[in-house]
Structures are given as structure tokens and as C-alpha cells.
Amino acid sequence: MPRGQAHDSYLEAAAQALQEAGLWRTLQPLAGATGPTVRVGEQELLLLCSNNYLGLATDPRVTEAAAAAARELGSGSGASRLVCGSLELHHQLEQRLAQLKGKADCVLFSSGYLANLGTIAALCGRGDTVVSDELNHASIIDGCRLSGADIAIYPHADADACAQRVARARGRVLLVTDSVFSMDGDLAPLAELCAAAARHDGWVMVDEAHATGVLGGGAGAVSALGLSAQVDAVMGTCSKALGAAGGFVAGSRAVCDYLRNRARSFVYDTAPAPPVVAAALAALDVITAEPERGEQVCRAARLLATELRALGFTVPWPAAAIVPVLVGDSAVAMRLSGFLRRAGVLAPAIRPPTVPPGTARLRLCVMATHTGEQLGRVVAAFRAARDALPELRPALR
Ligand SMILES: *Cc1c(COP(=O)(O)O)cnc(C)c1O
């Protein structure tokens, strides 16, 4: 057998195993922008799975800023920030984000994934300990592994268990957590976690990917809870509520200067492209001018959760814009998702390994640009699914 064919058949067998476990994934090309509705082929679907929470990815104030930056500064930045890719625009965005987060400084990365990877691995190394919530985002997990530090995982949102791990840790201690969890939509007990770290002089890093732009008038949960001074690294992304792309870490001058020198995903990565940087800046202008957008989306999420609970679905209470509908079995989650899609609602099933085994779910994301009528149609589709799919019964309350 030719060499390439043997390699392919190895992968095909592995793919077959995933397919049989109901865990195979395929891409879904959209024919248009991720607005409150989206075109997939010939079908117009209500979009309930985008992290474009405030609808800013299609806001003309944001898209025009991106277009103007492309004309003026080009479509790409051409080099790493440390070589010749650092534009005034990058520095402006970093200043604005530092201000938003109540920190002295900020470092911009090409994505939130790279921000977590580079920051955790720069701040900790062999002989140190990262204390991490079991449901933290994959980019945090990968950052922990890359750092070479000991990894102490505590049960989800359990501040006492976290405190125990911190007390037992060796070397320098970095406590890291999502603020709003990406698949459960709940909020970490940030004040208790900060107190646990402080008792042992540990560092704290909080991932505000789903809180930035949404909670605390846009500033995020750390700021809303008055904890900015207790958190050494406030991480966020421009790719969700800000409708652009890029990740960032806000912190003291010392933290940020160190990251610019030692975070490999900053040092060896081409600077974010001018259009996305300009888009993020314009999005911050919109959020400053209209700080009520975040609260509006949270209110809509709570209303959706209430109505789905009333239908019997198991829906954890949303802290921000994420409304998880727990199903359990992956195949049943796929059938529910398929039913909704035929009813005009796009809400893919989230299956292991993205969530723990046996906790497959539909992860609904509300956008500020969804109308009440559109969310009413989502509820009606869930009601029809409940009545049409007997296999959903074990998942109902
Ligand atoms: C999306 C996400 C990231 C990664 O951000 P990107 O900008 O998409 O790379 C990091 N952490 C959490 C919690 C996220 O949900």
C-alpha cells in the first residue's frame, strides 16, 4: 500500500470509532454574517449559538471602522509586535482595554486562546503550581500543560476545595478560573477564590471571555464585583461580545511588560491585523455609549431560561448570555438539535469531550439583537420538540 494511503486508513479507522460513539463533528458553512438570523444553504435560521452577544460583529459602526483601517493601514500587520508589527492602533486598543478593566496596562494577543496559552506558560514553570477549576476552558488547560507546572484541579466552582489545593501547592501558585463558564453559563465564586489565593500569597488570573462587554456595564465580572485589585491577570477576548478578534490580558505594568518579553504566543506571533484591531476599538466605543446592551442580553437570557424551565427542560440559571439546556445523552442531544433546525433554529449539540461524558447539551446564546418575537419562536420550537420526541423524557424535569 502506498505510504500516504496507510496513514489515511489509520485516520479513517479512528474517525469511524468517533462516528460510532456519536462524537464525529463536521463543519457547517454559513452563507452570511452571524446576525440574529443566518442563511445556511437555502434556509434562513434563527442563530442561537453565536458568541457575538451584543450583535456588534455586524454593527455598521464596527464594520466601517474595520473597512477604514484596511484602507488606511492594510489588511495585515506583516510582523510580530516586537519586530515591526506594532502599530499605534494596537497601543490604543491596549490602553482602552486596560482602562475598561481598571488595570495599568494590557497586552493584546491574536486570540484569547493564545492569550491563555502564553500567559499561563510565562507566569508559571516547573516547580510551580497552577490551581484550576475542572470546567475551565480548553485554552487554560492547554496553558497549564504547556507551563510544565504542577496542575491542581478542583471541583467546579468549589472555593473550599480550591483553598485546600492552594494551601498544599508548592512553588509559586497561580489560581486560574473562567468568570462566566463557557458551557454552563454560571459565574465562579470570584470573591471567595481571590480570598483563598490571598491567604497563601497566590496569583490570580480570571478568564473573562464571556463576561467582557456583557457584565458590569461591559467591564466584566471582576470589575463589577470590585475585585480588580485582587486579580493579577484579567484575560478577555475581542472575538465574542466585541464582535472582532484577538485576546488580551490586563494587569500591572510589571505583568504586562513581562508578558511582552516572555509569552511565546505574543513574541512569535504576527501582530493582530489592523481591521480587527480597529473593529475592537469601535466596539468599545459602542459599549461605552450604550452600556445597557449587556444587561439587555442578560435579561433576555434569564427570560429564555425561565420559559424553557417552565416547559420542563433542565436549564441552569444563566449568569450572562449563555443558556445551557441539559440533555445528557449525545445522540438525544443531536436529535433535539436536528428537530430545532427543521423548526428554523440553529443550536448545535455540545458533546464530550467539550463537556463531561453524559452531560451533552444545547448551549443557547442570546444576542442583544434578537427580538422578543424571535426568542418566542425559539421557545415554541422547544415546546414542539418536547411534545414530538419521547426520547427527551429522561432529560425533562
Ligand atoms: C472563546 C474562549 C477563549 C478563547 O478566545 P478566542 O478569542 O476565541 O481564541 C478563551 N476562554 C474562554 C472561556 C472562551 O470561551
Side-chain angles (χ1 to χ4, degrees), residues 234-301:
V234 185
M235 177 271 171
T237 174
C238 303
S239 59
K240 289 173 179 160
L242 300 188
F248 61 89
V249 171
S252 66
R253 288 246 146 71
V255 164
C256 294
D257 282 338
Y258 189 76
L259 292 180
R260 286 185 194 102
N261 282 271
R262 302 302 291 173
R264 292 170 63 84
S265 59
F266 176 86
V267 175
Y268 297 105
D269 189 36
T270 297
V276 296
V277 179
L281 270 165
L284 287 174
D285 287 339
V286 177
I287 288 170
T288 309
E290 302 168 12
E292 67 284 356
R293 273 178 180 254
E295 182 44 39
Q296 187 187 325
V297 80
C298 292
R299 216 179 308 122

Side-chain angles (χ1 to χ4, degrees), residues 51 53 110-116 136-140 178-183 207-210 235-240 245-247 363:
N51 302 317
Y53 298 125
S110 288
S111 75
Y113 202 113
L114 292 171
N116 276 335
N136 275 344
H137 189 261
S139 55
I140 294 179
D178 287 8
S179 62
V180 173
F181 285 85
S182 50
M183 295 300 141
D207 178 335
E208 296 248 66
H210 298 284
M235 177 271 171
T237 174
C238 303
S239 59
K240 289 173 179 160
R363 171 187 180 271

